[in-house]
Amino acid sequence: MRPDLEGLLGAARVWLAQDPDPDTRAELSALIENEDLPALEDRFAAKLEFGTAGLRGELGAGPNRMNRVTVMRAAAGLAAVLGPGKHVVIGYDARHKSDVFARDTAAVLTGAGLHASLLPGPLPTPVLAFAVRHLDADAGVTVTASHNPPRDNGYKVYWGDGSQITPPIDGEISAAIDAVGRVDELPLNGPGTLTELGEGIVDDYLAAVTALPLGDARDLRVAYTPLHGVGSATLTDAFLQAGFECPMAVEEQRNPDPDFPTVAFPNPEEPGAMDLAAALAAKLGSDLVLANDPDADRCAVGVPLPGGGVRMLTGDEVGGLLAEHVITHTTGDRMVATTIVSSSLLGKLARRHGVRYGETLTGFKWIIKAGPGLVFGYEEALGYSIGSDAGLPVRDKDGIGAALTVAAIAAAAKRDGRTLLDLLDDQARRYGLHATSQLSFRVADLSLIAAAMTRLRTDDTPELGGLAVERVDDLARGDGGLPPTDGLRYRLSDDARVVVRPSGTEPKLKCYLEVVVPVTGTPQEARTRAEQRLDALKADLTARLGL
């Protein structure tokens, strides 16, 4: 027997002996019996790493998969860092095994002497984030893979402030996970206690989001899709409690389904994902199209066009509309924040209205920590946290609160005979047209990304896409006053900007582009000029990166 196969088989047998799940036991038993080296290597030669996003990966047996052993080890690591007597709230979505993983987490935590509170069913991630602070818990866990493919699941950890964990806490939990022994030797279900929460926690969340600054306009017809996720019931209740007409949901996508049968990829940003919602909007004569991703922490927005079809707004466009609404409906010393890859428009809005502005690394875990008085934060990937004078009810992305606030803005515009597109034109006239786009390169060999970043760092080109390079920030050195991270930010002439960084979750190199065009004629003419500039930047970057 080959030495590498012998080692893999030994590791697989040890894993099999402690695995409580009949599904993954059967899978692994077959691989061992068949001595399937490639499959065993894929599962046992590496492991899912616990980071600031927790864990996320494909379901299956072994340390490089999401399964009950992996989840129990994660829970045991969290318990070790927190210590006995601490309180953890646990939530989960409707993906395959999510409810099982949530129960396993509760069993391990209570076995370690902690108190666990379990949400009453599959619910949006923002309900969990809200519940951590609302119940004055020490931490929270939600089992979700957000908008990943159907075969994936994940494990996200929140700290007592209701936001996602950041360093050094993630490193402490990761080290504690590595120290966990066999999971079949972990004490389970006591001496700690388990509380199964009732619907009252959802009612409390709804009371918080419907207290957001929503104005008084309510005449609006909405077409909506939860994309087979868990958002429908909570969003519907939020709209009705706020006084809106009940959104009409895409029937084929209304109920949770972990197989996501009507979409190739359950992400509202993906081509085709919004087709059924657009068709429903046309049938109903809707004023607005809204979508949540499967765990309802993100919100997509579309505006039906008079001639047919739907114009989907970018995350930056929605961010600009939400920001101005929140700023004009709140008072006092406030801050708004976004990330280095989002539009620079938010900074200009903040200056115009006299509020503080924060810019962070990518990820809501950083946005939420931008500074005191935060009333609005967003990232270009359709994530928004909406606040009021009382602050942020959810210290993470909240697709329900965002949808509700967008509806309020659209209803006020409709009362004036206008749409969100008119409001975007207004902003373009006031601040210049800020057009953003992305360019992504997926690779099979991660060394190609490292080589591309090295080429860029040694390339002292004076221009990109016909625009002069005025400054280059190497984010790995902490340029710009941010924590070091692998990336480059180009400041270009005419207020344009490019950020290039490796993805933190996928084998991709991502480029975030922004151009700013003054509106001297019509906004549409400015958009045409902006698209031409973005196309030139994309062509130049593609050539320089060589991917």
Side-chain angles (χ1 to χ4, degrees):
M1 183 181 294
R2 290 165 51 186
D4 51 353
L5 178 58
E6 183 177 358
L8 288 169
L9 286 171
R13 291 188 181 105
V14 170
W15 189 278
L16 181 65
Q18 60 182 311
D19 189 350
D21 190 326
D23 295 332
T24 46
R25 285 180 59 82
E27 171 194 335
L28 191 52
S29 295
L31 297 179
I32 293 171
E33 182 178 349
N34 295 328
E35 298 188 352
D36 189 335
L37 178 60
L40 289 170
E41 280 184 325
D42 189 33
R43 288 159 175 78
F44 286 90
K47 68 181 180 71
L48 296 182
E49 295 293 340
F50 187 92
T52 52
L55 296 165
R56 191 174 293 184
E58 185 178 347
L59 291 163
N64 202 31
R65 293 287 191 274
M66 284 296 299
N67 51 64
R68 294 182 66 184
V69 177
T70 297
V71 164
M72 293 172 76
R73 287 173 56 82
L78 176 61
V81 170
L82 286 169
K86 295 300 177 67
H87 179 198
V88 181
V89 187
I90 305 166
Y92 57 99
D93 66 10
R95 283 179 176 266
H96 292 295
K97 302 284 185 181
S98 285
D99 57 340
V100 176
F101 294 165
R103 290 277 176 186
D104 283 339
T105 298
V108 171
L109 292 175
T110 58
L114 286 79
H115 173 55
S117 293
L118 186 65
L119 292 185
L123 285 165
T125 291
V127 176
L128 180 279
F130 167 83
V132 172
R133 290 176 69 210
H134 188 67
L135 298 176
D136 196 26
D138 299 289
V141 169
T142 188
V143 181
T144 179
S146 190
H147 50 267
N148 274 39
R151 283 293 303 168
D152 286 6
N153 213 327
Y155 197 84
K156 188 183 294 187
V157 177
Y158 292 77
W159 217 233
D161 63 355
S163 66
Q164 297 177 44
I165 57 170
T166 54
I169 297 169
D170 59 332
E172 294 172 12
I173 297 173
S174 181
I177 292 171
D178 289 342
V180 174
R182 293 173 62 105
V183 300
D184 57 347
E185 296 175 355
L186 291 171
L188 303 177
N189 300 313
T193 58
L194 172 64
T195 299
E196 304 221 11
L197 297 169
E199 291 296 326
I201 189 64
V202 183
D203 294 338
D204 292 341
Y205 165 79
L206 290 170
V209 295
T210 53
L212 292 170
L214 302 175
D216 58 2
R218 293 293 183 269
D219 179 19
L220 195 73
R221 179 170 294 180
V222 176
Y224 167 71
T225 176
L227 290 180
H228 300 292
V230 296
S232 183
T234 307
L235 180 135
T236 298
D237 287 345
F239 269 67
L240 292 176
Q241 289 187 29
F244 286 96
E245 179 182 313
C246 181
M248 298 301 294
V250 173
E251 191 58 40
E252 302 95 319
Q253 299 171 334
R254 177 196 301 272
N255 296 320
D257 188 329
D259 293 318
F260 307 107
T262 67
V263 290
F265 201 78
N267 181 348
E269 294 179 289
E270 290 293 319
M274 296 299 296
D275 287 355
L276 290 176
L280 179 63
K283 178 181 177 181
L284 298 175
S286 298
D287 305 303
L288 188 68
V289 179
L290 295 172
N292 290 130
D293 66 341
D295 70 327
D297 65 347
R298 300 173 193 258
C299 175
V301 179
V303 179
L305 300 173
V310 171
R311 154 88 144 85
M312 296 302 299
L313 275 57
T314 67
D316 285 314
E317 289 174 328
V318 176
L321 293 176
L322 286 170
E324 200 144 31
H325 175 85
V326 172
I327 290 170
T328 56
H329 286 79
T330 53
T331 59
D333 182 27
R334 293 152 293 157
M335 170 178 272
V336 294
T338 191
T339 74
I340 57 172
V341 302
S342 300
S343 173
S344 62
L345 173 62
L346 185 60
K348 296 173 184 175
L349 282 167
R351 288 191 293 273
R352 171 72 66 91
H353 291 280
V355 303
R356 289 178 291 112
Y357 169 69
E359 192 171 87
T360 75
L361 297 180
T362 56
F364 248 84
K365 58 185 177 287
W366 301 116
I367 293 173
I368 291 301
K369 293 175 173 59
L374 190 66
V375 292
F376 176 72
Y378 95 94
E379 60 183 3
E380 43 73 40
L382 308 185
Y384 318 94
S385 185
I386 318 292
S388 66
D389 288 343
L392 297 170
V394 178
R395 294 176 61 81
D396 194 25
K397 300 183 292 291
D398 180 5
I400 307 297
L404 201 58
T405 310
V406 167
I409 299 170
K414 180 183 177 182
R415 185 169 58 188
D416 296 335
R418 313 180 81 215
T419 71
L420 298 182
L421 301 182
D422 296 309
L423 302 186
L424 289 174
D425 287 348
D426 290 346
Q427 285 190 332
R429 293 185 185 98
R430 286 195 297 270
Y431 306 103
L433 178 73
H434 291 64
T436 58
S437 188
Q438 282 193 39
L439 189 62
S440 294
F441 300 91
R442 182 179 289 273
V443 299
D445 180 359
L446 286 175
S447 69
L448 296 175
I449 291 179
M453 292 299 294
T454 298
R455 283 196 299 275
L456 286 183
R457 285 189 166 97
T458 56
D459 185 350
D460 58 356
T461 178
E463 65 174 40
L464 276 176
L467 297 170
V469 177
E470 296 181 343
R471 193 176 89 204
V472 181
D473 296 328
D474 190 339
L475 302 177
R477 298 195 303 249
D479 291 358
L482 296 167
T485 186
D486 190 11
L488 294 167
R489 176 169 56 187
Y490 294 84
R491 307 280 194 179
L492 308 177
S493 58
D494 295 339
D495 216 10
R497 180 222 67 204
V498 170
V499 177
V500 182
R501 71 175 188 94
S503 169
T505 56
E506 299 177 275
K508 280 184 178 181
L509 186 66
K510 298 179 120 180
C511 308
Y512 302 83
L513 293 67
E514 179 179 39
V515 297
V516 183
V517 177
V519 179
T520 55
T522 67
Q524 187 51 51
E525 289 169 344
R527 287 190 176 89
T528 299
R529 292 197 299 275
E531 286 300 319
Q532 292 168 347
R533 292 188 181 183
L534 289 170
D535 287 344
L537 284 171
K538 289 178 182 179
D540 197 348
L541 280 167
T542 299
R544 292 176 191 276
L545 288 167
L547 295 174

